[in-house]
Amino acid sequence: NTFNNFSVITASSLTQNDALDIDGSLTLALPTTLDSAGNNISIAGAWTELGATYISGANIVTFDGTNQTFTMTGTGVGNDDATKDFNNVVISSTSTVSIAAGSELEIDGGLAIFAGGTLRVDSQTLDLNGTLDNSGTLALNGDESIQVTGMDTDSGTVMYEGTASLT
């Protein structure tokens, strides 16, 4: 199923029956629930969750746009929140995804950043309970909260962009 933009802003509980390909943005507002039922989602625009519930199941969410933002509230590093997390996330070779202010990206499976792709944590929270497979760029400022359970170290770039001096 392909959509330009996908928004659910009324009291609804939706269960995916097939993969979603969203060429624009996804918006989920309180008190919505989206249960992926393990079906994959590809998104080219912004992912915005405004207090809603997202249940990933065993799926893959692929960010395949260019300049994308990710907005989702969370519970902090090390606190599993099954209603606000992802199973596996892919940042494609064309994408730069920025985590918006006040947001947390929690991933229980793996995070793959393809060559040419960038994930900008931007002083926010990245809670990765699986493995980082980084062939692209993970951009950090130095003041974010990060947990990465496993990380490949043979490729990709981890870039620190802070302005503070080291002592």
Side-chain angles (χ1 to χ4, degrees), residues 28-53:
L28 302 172
L30 188 68
T32 299
T33 296
L34 175 60
D35 183 346
S36 78
N39 292 293
N40 296 337
I41 299 174
S42 294
I43 182 168
W47 179 294
T48 305
E49 173 272 316
L50 303 168
T53 296

Side-chain angles (χ1 to χ4, degrees), residues 49-130:
E49 173 272 316
L50 303 168
T53 296
Y54 172 69
I55 302 169
S56 62
N59 77 341
I60 300 170
V61 173
T62 302
F63 290 89
D64 59 6
T66 50
N67 292 312
Q68 298 175 261
T69 56
F70 171 84
T71 305
M72 183 180 279
T73 56
T75 56
V77 170
N79 298 313
D80 187 31
D81 187 348
T83 65
K84 304 225 180 261
D85 63 1
F86 292 84
N87 184 48
N88 294 296
V89 172
V90 172
I91 309 295
S92 76
S93 60
T94 60
S95 294
T96 296
V97 178
S98 299
I99 300 176
S103 294
E104 174 183 352
L105 177 56
E106 181 177 328
I107 304 168
D108 288 340
L111 169 61
I113 305 173
F114 287 12
T118 301
L119 175 61
R120 301 189 60 79
V121 180
D122 290 338
S123 302
Q124 303 311 311
T125 301
L126 173 62
D127 189 357
L128 177 57
N129 299 304

